[in-house]
Amino acid sequence: MKKIPFYLAIASVVAIQASCGAPKTPQNEEPKEIKNDTLSKVVKARPEIYAKVALTTDINQLTENEKQVIPLLIEAARLMDEIFWKESIPENINVDLSTLTPDQKLFYQLNYGPWDRLDNFKSFVEGVGEKPLGANFYPADITKAEFEAMSAPDKASLYTIVRRDSSNNLITIPYHQFFKEQVMAADVLEKAAKLTEDKELKKYLTLRAEALRTDKYDPSDIAWLNMQNNTLDLIIGPIENYEDRLYGYKATHEAYVLVKDKVWSEKLKKYVTYLQELQENLPVDATYKSEKPGTDAQLNAYDVVYYAGDCNGGSKTIAVNLPNDEAIQKSVGTRRSQLKNAMRAKFDQILIPISEVLIHESQRKNITFDAFFANTMFHEVAHGLGVKNTIDGKQTVREALKEKYSALEEGKADILGLYMIHQLHGKQVYTDGELMDNYVTFMASIFRSVRFGAASAHGQANMVRFNFFKEKGAFVFNEDKTYSVDFDKMTDAMNELSAIILKLQGDGDYDGVVKLLETKGGIDDQLKTDLQKLNDAGIPVDIYFEQGVEALGLN
């Protein structure tokens, strides 16, 4: 029997809190109370901007035991989905789903609530107002002064919810106490651990179950990194902090169920050995590249067969660089996971059509899947370059840049990913196609990601890069209103922007990052016209999934 989508299975009345204020610089502003005149400002639900894609893999490569384990991993992932609904939608305003149109209901599901994630979180449901910057991690009426005055040592923890007690005092509640679904998912992971014949996976699932019960994730993160020979993989738990736009502290729940592509994964191993050399050659003063990148990084390719939670809301993740903990990155390493089938879907359904509208005919041959895969992969690898701590040694870059960290870090990874390809191509280490393929595909990908909007860290990063490239003449705007890459000028711009970002991070220059985003993060009239062309051509902005055991043929 076909399963009911989660948004229809939840109660018909969903708690939603209204707040006011665009995603500006929350550290410098008090959260504001919603005003009546903002409640009527709604935008149209746009489910048509998403193309539906079936998530599948070749199940014939799986053992019978693995085919039995996958449904349990999906069951645990679905519980992360339930938690993310609670994190995404605050608790004050009731929305009766029975009053929504079919388009609104589908869009509600795709956005995990009544705010358009690809249009700066604008509401598409009457009477809701703009999404609070703190989502559901903090009380609606919390002020900066109150939060700073809190004595709770774990108020900035990734794994606590901030609430008011009966005396109206702010308190923290650990995730494993607040979200009963964490404990339920732990039980499912233990079932999967007992069933699987893979010893490495068994150990990881057992430790991850314990982590969900205690909010202590380091042992399971290390066990995950130590898995080398597994075919099945699972990323699960509270991981990224994009949803907390108020402070950038709180992690949101998500899950990916993965099947490793061992052939492609084997091809990627050689690149890791060049990380130290690439770090030393970064186009910036030696002070800003003094740290040693983790040489224990792993590069793997996967088919993703289930998305849940944060990674499934709005634009879909196609590559993952984990764990985020800097201490584990330094001591154990990281794993960069490329989600090959989802990547292919975006390439075929979005990037190729974009190139046919906005890239000059003479350079369309340079848009290739190998280049798209490599650009995405090296983006994840590039997260390991540069510095994790400010050069004065006082704090981490993440702490110094606060809620602006994600946008700048994504921008760094994008530009340094291209830098790495340029360097490795020159050494004849990376030989999958012409270097111009990577440049032109990179340019086309900017148009793809800019459409994610200013509320997305990736969207902001791409706007900065587009405007910087334009200023430096990295591309030519042709008479036929298409773009062509100028190879030499784009190379110079790549190196110059890399140095700017690396210096901002090393200096922990919060004000400098704000200025960069304000001066280079806007969309000018020409780009607005170009993006409207893509909309008029019916090119989807992103994808959503038909997924689960039925899509895999395992039911």
Side-chain angles (χ1 to χ4, degrees):
M1 187 175 83
K2 188 172 181 179
K3 289 184 168 56
I4 299 172
F6 181 74
Y7 78 93
L8 294 178
I10 59 178
S12 61
V13 177
V14 180
I16 300 174
Q17 171 192 335
S19 180
C20 181
K24 299 176 183 175
T25 309
Q27 297 291 346
N28 301 327
E29 295 187 1
E30 296 286 330
K32 300 173 185 176
E33 224 176 277
I34 195 71
K35 295 182 179 179
N36 290 334
D37 60 352
T38 68
L39 291 177
S40 61
K41 296 177 182 178
V42 298
V43 296
K44 177 181 176 291
R46 310 181 296 156
E48 69 277 1
I49 69 172
Y50 293 92
K52 189 174 183 179
V53 173
L55 280 184
T56 60
T57 191
D58 179 10
I59 62 173
N60 293 322
Q61 67 182 303
L62 304 176
T63 67
E64 289 304 314
N65 178 261
E66 289 165 345
K67 292 176 184 178
Q68 294 174 42
V69 172
I70 284 181
L72 287 172
L73 302 184
I74 290 175
E75 182 181 343
R78 287 173 63 85
L79 290 166
M80 297 301 103
D81 213 55
E82 293 185 25
I83 296 176
F84 185 60
W85 275 99
K86 294 179 179 179
E87 291 167 331
S88 174
I89 305 176
E91 296 172 348
N92 280 14
I93 295 178
N94 294 328
V95 172
D96 185 350
L97 295 184
S98 68
T99 66
L100 303 185
T101 67
D103 275 356
Q104 287 179 316
K105 286 182 179 179
L106 176 56
F107 208 48
Y108 190 95
Q109 178 193 21
L110 297 176
N111 286 280
Y112 288 80
W115 297 282
D116 188 342
R117 291 176 176 271
L118 301 190
D119 191 10
N120 303 322
F121 286 102
K122 293 177 182 176
S123 171
F124 55 88
V125 175
E126 195 77 31
V128 171
E130 296 184 22
K131 182 168 183 174
L133 298 178
N136 196 29
F137 299 111
Y138 310 92
D141 58 352
I142 193 172
T143 65
K144 177 183 175 184
E146 279 187 298
F147 185 81
E148 297 299 333
M150 279 186 72
S151 59
D154 60 352
K155 67 181 182 182
S157 166
L158 289 166
Y159 313 124
T160 59
I161 290 283
V162 178
R163 287 292 181 265
R164 295 191 185 278
D165 63 16
S166 57
S167 300
N168 209 39
N169 297 314
L170 293 176
I171 60 170
T172 58
I173 306 172
Y175 274 11
H176 69 274
Q177 294 179 13
F178 192 86
F179 298 116
K180 64 181 180 181
E181 294 87 353
Q182 277 198 189
V183 177
M184 294 163 63
D187 294 340
V188 177
L189 293 188
E190 286 186 338
K191 290 180 184 178
K194 291 177 181 177
L195 179 61
T196 183
E197 296 170 349
D198 185 319
K199 292 181 179 180
E200 293 178 339
L201 181 61
K202 184 186 295 288
K203 180 178 180 180
Y204 164 63
L205 294 175
T206 301
L207 290 173
R208 201 64 172 180
E210 180 63 18
L212 290 171
R213 292 192 179 105
T214 63
D215 293 323
K216 296 178 181 178
Y217 288 91
D218 287 4
S220 60
D221 280 342
I222 294 170
W224 180 70
L225 288 171
N226 287 336
M227 290 196 301
Q228 301 289 331
N229 303 306
N230 55 304
T231 298
L232 301 185
D233 205 342
L234 176 69
I235 297 170
I236 188 168
I239 298 171
E240 305 290 0
N241 54 6
Y242 300 121
E243 192 76 5
D244 178 4
R245 296 178 296 135
L246 184 61
Y247 290 105
Y249 292 150
K250 305 305 177 184
T252 46
H253 288 71
E254 64 182 0
Y256 308 80
V257 181
L258 306 166
V259 177
K260 186 184 292 183
D261 186 324
K262 293 186 177 180
V263 174
W264 273 68
S265 296
E266 187 64 30
K267 285 172 53 179
L268 307 181
K269 284 184 178 180
K270 62 182 178 181
Y271 298 122
V272 176
T273 60
Y274 290 90
L275 285 180
Q276 183 59 46
E277 182 179 346
L278 291 164
Q279 172 86 345
E280 293 169 358
N281 291 334
L282 287 173
V284 70
D285 185 82
T287 308
Y288 299 94
K289 52 185 178 183
S290 57
E291 294 180 9
K292 290 187 177 181
T295 54
D296 294 325
Q298 304 169 34
L299 296 176
N300 288 324
Y302 300 87
D303 280 341
V304 55
V305 298
Y306 201 83
Y307 281 77
D310 187 32
C311 61
N312 196 40
S315 60
K316 307 303 183 292
T317 304
I318 54 176
V320 188
N321 176 36
L322 293 172
N324 287 326
D325 188 287
E326 287 92 347
I328 294 179
Q329 290 177 7
K330 287 184 178 180
S331 63
V332 184
T334 58
R335 177 176 296 145
R336 280 83 176 204
S337 305
Q338 318 306 310
L339 311 184
K340 189 163 162 274
N341 56 341
M343 206 179 293
R344 169 63 79 174
K346 291 199 183 192
F347 179 80
D348 290 342
Q349 300 213 34
I350 302 172
L351 197 62
I352 287 294
I354 284 175
S355 70
E356 291 170 350
V357 174
L358 294 181
I359 301 300
H360 192 269
E361 185 178 8
S362 64
Q363 292 189 344
R364 289 175 195 163
K365 64 181 183 299
N366 298 110
I367 309 287
T368 69
F369 179 71
D370 282 350
F372 184 53
F373 183 91
N375 290 352
T376 306
M377 175 183 69
F378 283 108
H379 165 105
E380 297 305 329
V381 177
H383 279 298
L385 298 184
V387 293
K388 300 294 183 186
N389 301 286
T390 55
I391 59 175
D392 62 11
K394 292 182 178 180
Q395 56 191 330
T396 67
V397 174
R398 185 186 294 271
E399 291 168 340
L401 300 186
K402 303 173 186 175
E403 86 286 352
K404 302 301 180 186
Y405 170 82
S406 293
L408 193 68
E409 176 63 19
E410 293 304 329
K412 180 201 82 172
D414 277 335
I415 202 71
L416 289 190
L418 188 61
Y419 154 83
M420 294 176 75
I421 291 171
H422 187 103
Q423 294 287 310
L424 293 171
H425 192 278
K427 297 173 70 65
Q428 296 187 332
V429 174
Y430 174 75
T431 57
D432 293 344
E434 302 175 14
L435 186 55
M436 193 65 171
D437 294 348
N438 298 90
Y439 273 54
V440 179
T441 302
F442 188 90
M443 181 68 199
S445 293
I446 292 177
F447 295 114
R448 182 183 69 85
S449 295
V450 161
R451 299 174 83 198
F452 295 160
S456 157
H458 297 81
Q460 285 184 324
N462 278 275
M463 290 176 196
V464 169
R465 189 163 51 261
F466 177 87
N467 288 317
F468 190 88
F469 279 5
K470 181 178 181 179
E471 180 182 302
K472 300 298 178 180
F475 54 78
V476 175
F477 189 63
N478 303 297
E479 289 185 4
D480 66 353
K481 303 188 185 304
T482 62
Y483 292 82
S484 299
V485 167
D486 183 314
F487 182 86
D488 292 333
K489 290 183 179 180
M490 189 165 171
T491 300
D492 292 341
M494 171 187 72
N495 290 329
E496 187 176 345
L497 183 57
S498 295
I500 290 171
I501 292 176
L502 290 166
K503 189 173 187 301
L504 286 170
Q505 288 190 323
D507 292 340
D509 185 357
Y510 178 88
D511 292 336
V513 178
V514 171
K515 183 177 180 181
L516 178 68
L517 294 175
E518 288 179 348
T519 58
K520 294 287 192 293
I523 299 179
D524 63 19
D525 290 340
Q526 180 57 59
L527 183 55
K528 286 179 183 177
T529 299
D530 295 333
L531 297 180
Q532 187 57 48
K533 285 183 186 177
L534 303 181
N535 295 338
D536 293 342
I539 299 171
V541 178
D542 213 82
I543 56 179
Y544 75 104
F545 305 115
E546 177 186 346
Q547 60 177 357
V549 292
E550 291 181 349
L552 289 170
L554 292 176
N555 56 316

